[in-house]
Amino acid sequence: YGGGDEAKIEEVILRFAQRAFRGPVQAEEITRYVQLVESQLANGRSRPEALRAGYTAMIASPRFYYLQESQGRLNSYEIASRLSYFLWSSMPDEILFRLAAADRLTDPSVVSEQVDRMLDDPKAAAFVRRFTQRWLRLDKLGAMPPEKAKFGIYWHRRLESQILAQTDAFFADLVKTNGPIR
């Protein structure tokens, strides 16, 4: 995202801002970041150092940290962000950004296709792990092991990772095959 020395600072910052803020950004919205980079350059910083200061300011802003959504019906960019953060715990990829730019994510069939695509991606493992952990409170696993004397059960810490892996694999299969929750 350095854009090379030939790219204008405004263009480089605008491209980065569109990714960082997960959607279209107007030129006037990045004025302060461009001014920051230009002031860094005026103070003798190298172009990469100055751009890094601008990028840092953007990722420290509330617009980067929080998903900002409009009232009422979500637009395509907001749908892309919801899908990606729910299923991948990460920002939208290029495909979601392209579909959002074409306003195709308001079509339920396109959203369904994207959900299937995203669940087939290895990044969906984060969804499976976090969802089952919160839903089933697996973060508490091992906090209160069964009493051997009372239940005759042998419990070892090594079982915890196997229980987590089995739960994740079972839930991932349910999601992938659209299996019944019961």
Side-chain angles (χ1 to χ4, degrees), residues 107-124:
D107 179 349
S109 64
V110 173
V111 171
S112 181
E113 290 171 9
Q114 290 308 302
V115 167
D116 290 341
R117 177 185 71 84
M118 294 171 78
L119 287 173
D120 284 338
D121 192 285
K123 290 187 272 186

Side-chain angles (χ1 to χ4, degrees), residues 5 11-12 18 31 36 79 87 115 118 121 123 147 182:
D5 287 341
E11 293 170 4
V12 175
Q18 288 171 335
T31 302
L36 173 64
I79 293 169
L87 296 176
V115 167
M118 294 171 78
D121 192 285
K123 290 187 272 186
E147 296 176 34
R182 61 183 187 284

Side-chain angles (χ1 to χ4, degrees), residues 45-170:
R45 298 281 174 115
S46 68
R47 182 179 169 98
E49 288 175 326
L51 285 170
R52 196 172 305 120
Y55 299 155
T56 302
M58 275 189 262
I59 62 173
S61 75
R63 189 165 174 195
F64 175 78
Y65 279 110
Y66 302 108
L67 294 178
Q68 297 178 345
E69 297 177 344
S70 54
Q71 295 290 328
R73 194 173 194 100
L74 299 177
N75 67 38
S76 282
Y77 287 98
E78 293 165 341
I79 293 169
S81 289
R82 279 214 183 167
L83 283 174
S84 65
Y85 283 102
F86 181 65
L87 296 176
W88 285 346
S89 299
S90 183
M91 69 183 298
D93 64 357
E94 287 300 321
I95 295 171
L96 287 173
F97 275 128
R98 274 197 311 262
L99 290 169
D103 200 27
R104 302 253 342 266
L105 290 176
T106 55
D107 179 349
S109 64
V110 173
V111 171
S112 181
E113 290 171 9
Q114 290 308 302
V115 167
D116 290 341
R117 177 185 71 84
M118 294 171 78
L119 287 173
D120 284 338
D121 192 285
K123 290 187 272 186
F127 163 69
V128 169
R129 173 83 303 271
R130 288 183 179 95
F131 187 86
T132 56
Q133 182 178 23
R134 286 179 178 86
W135 177 37
L136 301 173
R137 294 306 318 246
L138 295 176
D139 57 320
K140 302 288 185 194
L141 186 65
M144 295 179 282
E147 296 176 34
K148 185 178 179 188
K150 190 171 186 180
F151 296 101
I153 297 173
Y154 176 75
W155 179 263
H156 196 281
R157 284 275 206 223
R158 285 184 283 179
L159 292 173
E160 292 174 25
S161 63
Q162 293 171 3
I163 291 170
L164 292 173
Q166 287 176 355
T167 305
D168 288 352
F170 179 72

Side-chain angles (χ1 to χ4, degrees), residues 36-50:
L36 173 64
V37 172
E38 288 172 347
S39 72
Q40 294 288 311
L41 289 169
N43 288 332
R45 298 281 174 115
S46 68
R47 182 179 169 98
E49 288 175 326

